[in-house]
Amino acid sequence: MSLAIPTRQDLEYTPEVERRTRALRERLEGIIPEVEWPIHAPYIARIEELKRTRNAVILAHNYQTPEIFHGVADIRGDSLGLAQEGARTDAEVIVLCGVHFMAETAKILSPEKTVLIPDLKAGCSLADAITGEDVRRLKARHPGVPVVTYVNTSAEVKAESDICCTSSNAVQVVESLGVDRVIFTPDQYLGKYVATQTDVEIILWEGACEVHERFTADEIRGFRSATPDLVVIAHPECPPEVLDEADYVGSTAGMINFVQERQPPKVAMITECSMSDNVAAENPAVEFIRPCNLCPHMKQITLPKILHSLETMNYPVEVAPETAARARVAVQRMLDVGRGSGG
Ligand code: 13P
Ligand code: SF4
């Protein structure tokens, strides 16, 4: 993928660029092929300069490619971590390297800041699975039942919801409401996973992540029989029969913490491709079996597009003030509940 980067005449791999990026290249040895470094390094050096000029901060989701994740990101994390850190930063400009709903969440929490996404096509199959009108219908069908909405949704859907959650805190958020039943949108698999962890009845919506729904239990059993002593850790957006095969289930940040703390000799991360590459860079003693389901939306973000974004201040993410105000209530309620222990 990275080799598809178009070259730019004004960006050269000069001795100065080599010197400025050498420590990073050495740290990413084995993660980024040596032959690619002269392509990435001039972008990394130029992006670093522009970040200072623009008073900008780069937030990158754990699924971003290593040259972004390790190369230019100031803050990295799962959806919850990015929402929290985006709200805290003093920078005037946030460049969100992730998908559109993450940029919208940053804008909802920091309306005074300029929030940029390097490519507007970075969407999400979960966010596309439900509309504000769908939520209004659900509420009419189940009057008085609170709506818990995964952050992987549009601002309009958040605005119709009582509280948001992420995969890190979904169980904690559901239980925080002190009710017997909740409507849970839009990820049916995360909802089913939450139902296994709580006595609260979960009314599901039928959305799914196009990346995680493709994993199968057979695939996991195949990894295990090929690799004795393999530790399998999976994201809760996977179907239940996949999660049944896992030793640990958690958000992307939960999975990273698991590997960092336990240092399993061999691990398979059942989630998006780039996670293993990013985590491998910081855990040289762990061997990664790398199943690869790629998120085509996350992969819209590239170093040339980040540079273009900082040069031209594109593409600003805007949310209508009335929608943002209502969505902010749901997101803020989630942040007030705090990060859960489940991932
Ligand atoms: P988390 O990073 O919050 O676990 O979310 C995973 C995901 O698919 C985000 O799009
Ligand atoms: Fe959406 Fe799935 Fe991609 Fe995450 S991995 S952005 S949930 S499609």
Side-chain angles (χ1 to χ4, degrees):
M1 167 159 319
S2 326
L3 288 171
I5 292 171
T7 47
R8 260 177 53 166
Q9 302 301 322
D10 60 326
L11 292 177
E12 278 180 42
Y13 190 49
T14 58
E16 171 62 9
V17 169
E18 192 281 328
R19 190 190 58 74
R20 278 165 51 196
T21 59
R22 191 179 306 146
L24 187 61
R25 172 170 57 78
E26 286 168 3
R27 193 155 68 81
L28 297 179
E29 219 175 279
I31 304 291
I32 295 185
E34 217 171 298
V35 66
E36 285 187 25
W37 194 253
I39 305 173
H40 297 313
Y43 284 97
I44 292 172
R46 185 79 187 110
I47 287 167
E48 286 301 332
E49 285 166 14
L50 266 179
K51 276 199 299 198
R52 285 190 289 277
T53 320
R54 299 285 196 202
N55 188 16
V57 72
I58 294 188
L59 269 58
H61 185 261
N62 293 326
Y63 294 160
Q64 291 295 293
T65 50
E67 66 274 13
I68 296 173
F69 188 82
H70 293 289
V72 295
D74 301 292
I75 296 165
R76 311 160 192 162
D78 65 357
S79 311
L80 180 59
L82 295 184
Q84 288 167 327
E85 295 301 326
R88 267 182 218 136
T89 178
D90 290 333
E92 288 166 62
V93 178
I94 293 175
V95 182
L96 201 304
C97 297
V99 292
H100 194 264
F101 75 80
M102 295 176 178
E104 259 190 357
T105 306
K107 185 68 185 178
I108 288 165
L109 289 171
S110 307
E112 74 293 352
K113 293 193 176 113
T114 300
V115 177
L116 305 175
I117 187 158
D119 191 324
L120 284 166
K121 291 193 296 299
C124 171
S125 66
L126 277 169
D128 289 344
I130 191 161
T131 63
E133 180 54 32
D134 291 329
V135 182
R136 286 192 287 276
R137 278 202 217 106
L138 273 169
K139 289 195 285 194
R141 210 178 307 143
H142 304 282
V145 180
V147 179
V148 178
T149 283
Y150 197 25
V151 286
N152 300 35
T153 44
S154 67
E156 190 208 352
V157 168
K158 290 182 176 76
E160 292 295 339
S161 306
D162 293 283
I163 187 166
C164 286
C165 74
T166 73
S167 51
S168 299
N169 60 17
V171 177
Q172 199 184 4
V173 164
V174 164
E175 296 202 328
S176 75
L177 297 172
V179 295
D180 297 335
R181 283 204 308 165
V182 300
I183 298 167
F184 191 95
T185 74
D187 186 1
Q188 57 178 308
Y189 296 130
L190 179 61
K192 283 179 187 169
Y193 173 70
V194 171
T196 67
Q197 306 293 307
T198 178
D199 292 332
V200 178
E201 186 192 336
I202 310 285
I203 300 167
L204 296 167
W205 183 255
E206 295 227 324
C209 160
E210 67 187 82
V211 175
H212 292 92
E213 72 175 345
R214 293 209 303 271
F215 289 108
T216 65
D218 264 358
E219 209 177 347
I220 314 299
R221 286 191 285 268
F223 295 140
R224 279 204 197 277
S225 62
T227 313
D229 304 326
L230 180 67
V231 173
V232 176
I233 61 180
H235 195 278
E237 288 172 11
C238 295
E241 61 278 14
V242 171
L243 299 184
D244 286 346
E245 297 292 330
D247 300 299
Y248 169 80
V249 176
S251 75
T252 55
M255 294 165 116
I256 293 172
N257 292 341
F258 182 97
V259 172
Q260 267 163 0
E261 281 163 21
R262 309 224 190 155
Q263 294 288 298
K266 292 174 193 167
V267 73
M269 289 185 151
I270 310 304
T271 189
E272 209 270 346
C273 296
S274 290
M275 271 281 287
S276 297
D277 295 336
N278 290 334
V279 186
E282 278 159 0
N283 295 276
V286 180
E287 188 187 332
F288 288 81
I289 311 303
R290 301 179 193 216
C292 192
N293 281 355
L294 188 135
C295 174
H297 312 291
M298 287 280 179
K299 267 45 197 185
Q300 295 294 332
I301 311 298
T302 62
L303 287 177
K305 289 181 191 173
I306 297 169
L307 177 55
H308 179 259
S309 186
L310 281 164
E311 284 175 336
T312 63
M313 299 300 278
N314 276 313
Y315 299 88
V317 174
E318 300 296 345
V319 182
E322 196 265 339
T323 308
R326 293 171 61 218
R328 193 174 306 123
V329 174
V331 175
Q332 193 56 53
R333 279 187 80 189
M334 167 187 82
L335 294 178
D336 293 344
V337 171
R339 184 179 280 269
S341 54

